[in-house]
């Protein structure tokens, strides 16, 4: 079957359009991620030990809470960390003794609960794999790993944060371009 | 390094927790990619806002011999004594400020720009000598690489750790709160996970626990303290009087 001049030009246009679409898919960035729900995760690492008793003022209200729940003579705040992450994104917190706390906010539950996957690794070996839910100022305490003659108590809390653009920054998405 | 990889590493980069090679790669990428530098800036600002709104203080490092414990957010006066990786991170932050036309964080004791190691400087980009064919070949190569890593790329670290971990250990449930959570039945010795009754509305609740390796894992709720506890090993002092169900 012979193809006329009109058919040839139509075929040419279709090829150009198809090529442009494929090229665009390769070059253009994916949709911006700025609208995703973010979760603020805070982790406080406390060393509970049998040394000289005393309050670490840096612990704040957590100090009295720990004393009511456990009967160690002394508590010392080793580190306080805060990160934010989108739902489904993994966040890793380095802890003493070659340990890592892996936190994945998986979903929001009700109006204020945040469901988290909590995994504690030690030297490349998993110790705990759990799923918890926290709301407001509540937290999950992950305790027991020995460290420096005492034990670590890791307090984990989370709450959803607004996805509104941050003041002072443009409204572009976090990774809306570049070498993706 | 791609934008996706850089985005995943930004938190650790901010904290100076990457190894030297990864830190260098991330710093290079952040120095050259305005979008990722903007994301780093955004993360830093978000962290500041969260600290203010939640009343959480500055991150605090222990008096610990562990050299990996590098404080975040201290690009000021102690950079000179900081490990090499952290100095590179600070230098990268300085570069980012220059590239974005804003004042970047200043590296202590040195001028912005002058503090930047030569390999870290943004490279001037002259007119490209590549033709359309070269560009298409590069795109095709990028596509092949993307497909390859999508299908055969490195295993996710969490998956690898989980796979290499020893078999699950028994979990005991200590009942501090009669209401919740409670095991629904006796837990066989080999069972890795008790069935916990979900406590709708509790401020903190444990939905599932898998313990690995030797030793016991205990979980209990402290609703009056708005907390729930997962404990590895022997019970802590103060929890002795709790009833244990296995």
């Amino acid at each position: 079957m012979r193809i006329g001049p009109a058919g040839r030009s139509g075929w040419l246009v279709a090829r150009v359009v198809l090529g442009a679409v494929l090229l665009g898919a390769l070059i253009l960035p994916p949709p911006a991620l700025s609208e995703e729900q973010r979760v603020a995760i805070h982790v406080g690492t406390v060393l509970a030990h049998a040394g000289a008793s005393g309050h670490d003022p840096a612990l704040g209200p957590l100090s009295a809470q720990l004393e009511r729940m456990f009967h160690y003579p002394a508590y010392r705040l080793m580190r306080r960390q805060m990160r934010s992450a989108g739902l489904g994104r993994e966040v890793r917190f380095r802890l003493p003794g070659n340990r890592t706390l892996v936190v994945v906010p998986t979903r929001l539950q009700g109006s204020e609960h945040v469901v988290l996957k909590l995994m504690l690794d030690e030297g490349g070996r998993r110790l705990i794999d759990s799923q918890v839910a926290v709301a407001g100022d509540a937290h999950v305490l992950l305790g027991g790993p020995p460290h420096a003659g005492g034990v670590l108590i890791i307090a984990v809390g989370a709450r959803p944060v607004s996805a509104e653009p941050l003041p002072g920054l443009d409204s572009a998405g976090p990774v809306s371009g570049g070498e993706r | 390094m791609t934008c996706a990889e850089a985005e995943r590493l930004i938190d650790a980069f901010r904290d100076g927790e990457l190894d030297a090679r990864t830190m260098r790669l991330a710093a290079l990428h952040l120095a050259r990619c305005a979008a990722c530098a903007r994301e780093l800036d955004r993360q830093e600002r978000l962290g500041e806002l969260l600290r203010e709104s939640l009343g959480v203080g500055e991150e605090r490092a222990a008096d610990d011999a562990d050299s990996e414990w590098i404080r975040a957010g201290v690009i000021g006066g102690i950079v000179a004594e900081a490990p090499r990786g952290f100095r590179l991170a600070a230098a990268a932050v300085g570069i980012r400020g220059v590239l974005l036309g804003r004042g970047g964080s200043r590296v202590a004791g040195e001028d912005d720009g002058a503090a930047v190691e030569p390999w870290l400087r943004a490279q001037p980009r002259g007119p490209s000598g590549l033709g359309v064919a070269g560009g298409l070949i590069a795109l095709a190569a990028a596509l092949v690489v993307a497909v390859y890593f999508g299908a055969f790329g490195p295993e996710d670290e969490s998956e690898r750790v989980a796979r290499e971990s020893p078999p699950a250990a028994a979990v005991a449930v200590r009942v501090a709160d009669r209401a919740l959570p409670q095991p629904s039945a006796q837990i066989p010795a080999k069972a890795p996970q008790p069935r916990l009754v979900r406590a709708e509305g509790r401020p903190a609740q444990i939905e599932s626990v898998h313990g690995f390796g030797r030793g016991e894992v205990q979980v209990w709720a402290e609703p009056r303290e708005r907390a729930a506890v997962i404990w590895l090993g022997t019970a802590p002092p103060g929890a002795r009087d709790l009833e244990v169900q296995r």
Side-chain angles (χ1 to χ4, degrees):
Chain A
M1 188 177 71
R2 289 174 62 90
I3 299 174
R8 277 202 297 272
S9 65
W11 176 237
L12 183 63
V13 168
R15 281 200 297 181
V16 168
V17 169
L18 182 63
V21 168
L22 289 175
L23 201 60
L26 283 172
I27 293 174
L28 292 179
L33 302 175
S34 58
E35 298 305 318
E36 71 177 355
Q37 174 65 56
R38 293 190 80 83
V39 172
I41 303 159
H42 44 103
V43 173
T45 306
V46 177
L47 178 66
H49 58 101
S53 60
H55 297 279
D56 184 347
L59 279 168
L62 187 60
S63 176
Q65 192 178 27
L66 290 171
E67 288 177 2
R68 287 192 297 268
M69 293 173 63
F70 312 109
H71 295 171
Y72 287 97
Y75 301 91
R76 184 163 63 90
L77 180 65
M78 299 191 74
R79 195 178 204 196
R80 183 171 277 165
Q81 298 160 278
M82 172 142 22
R83 303 270 170 81
S84 74
L87 294 178
R89 302 292 184 92
E90 178 181 291
V91 187
R92 306 177 78 83
F93 295 89
R94 300 288 286 270
L95 302 176
N98 197 24
R99 298 182 178 98
T100 303
L101 180 69
V102 184
V103 183
V104 184
T106 55
R107 68 179 192 277
L108 301 184
Q109 184 175 283
S111 59
E112 57 177 2
H113 277 81
V114 179
V115 179
L116 304 170
K117 276 180 72 70
L118 291 184
M119 291 155 282
L120 180 64
D121 296 343
E122 181 182 277
R125 203 168 56 90
R126 180 137 300 165
L127 299 179
I128 282 288
D129 187 341
S130 64
Q131 180 159 302
V132 304
V134 291
D137 61 348
H139 46 258
V140 168
L141 298 172
L142 186 53
H147 183 75
V151 298
L152 294 180
I153 299 176
I154 304 148
V156 184
R159 63 175 63 177
V161 292
S162 166
E164 294 170 3
L166 298 172
L169 290 177
D170 53 38
S171 58
V175 281
S176 57
E179 302 168 19
R180 188 179 292 274
Chain B
M1 179 173 289
T2 65
C3 286
E5 291 167 334
E7 185 193 5
R8 188 168 54 83
L9 297 173
I10 275 180
D11 280 326
F13 178 82
R14 281 176 52 208
D15 290 356
E17 291 176 343
L18 299 174
D19 61 67
R21 180 178 175 274
T22 312
M23 182 71 82
R24 178 173 172 269
L25 291 173
L28 272 172
H29 181 86
L30 287 165
R32 289 173 173 169
C33 176
C36 286
R38 194 162 54 236
E39 170 64 3
L40 175 64
D41 204 4
R42 184 176 177 279
Q43 291 280 344
E44 287 173 350
R45 188 169 290 266
L46 178 61
E48 289 168 13
L49 291 175
L50 289 173
R51 273 189 284 276
E52 290 168 8
S53 65
L54 298 179
V56 178
E58 284 294 310
E59 296 189 359
R60 175 180 174 182
D63 298 326
D64 198 308
D66 189 347
S67 62
E68 294 172 345
W69 281 57
I70 304 166
R71 289 187 61 179
V74 287
I75 290 174
I78 66 164
V79 171
E81 296 110 49
R84 174 182 168 80
F86 194 67
R87 289 205 305 273
L88 296 182
V93 173
I95 284 184
R96 181 205 57 209
V98 173
L99 288 179
L100 296 182
R102 291 196 291 268
S105 301
R106 187 169 176 274
V107 177
E110 297 173 288
D111 292 334
D112 290 338
V116 176
E117 299 197 15
W119 55 263
L120 202 53
R121 291 178 192 277
Q123 299 300 310
R125 294 186 180 179
S128 170
L130 296 177
V132 176
L136 289 175
I137 290 171
L139 282 173
L143 184 62
V144 168
V145 169
V147 169
Y148 175 80
F149 278 101
F152 309 106
E155 186 180 14
D156 178 73
E157 187 175 350
S158 282
E159 292 174 5
R160 182 188 61 76
V161 170
R163 182 170 49 77
E164 294 176 358
S165 294
V171 175
V173 178
R174 289 181 172 267
V175 185
D177 172 29
R178 274 288 172 192
L180 301 160
Q182 286 188 10
S184 60
Q186 291 287 100
I187 303 168
K190 294 291 184 185
Q193 180 181 347
R195 290 171 54 195
L196 301 176
V197 179
R198 283 186 58 183
E200 297 296 341
R202 288 286 184 191
Q205 59 190 25
I206 297 164
E207 298 192 341
S208 69
V209 178
H210 285 272
F212 298 90
R214 287 176 296 182
E216 194 175 64
V217 178
Q218 302 165 58
V219 298
W220 72 94
E222 297 275 4
R224 277 179 299 186
E225 303 292 346
R226 296 176 61 78
V229 182
I230 302 173
W231 197 271
L232 287 77
T234 53
R240 291 186 298 272
D241 51 343
L242 301 179
E243 177 186 347
V244 179
Q245 299 191 16
R246 295 175 188 278

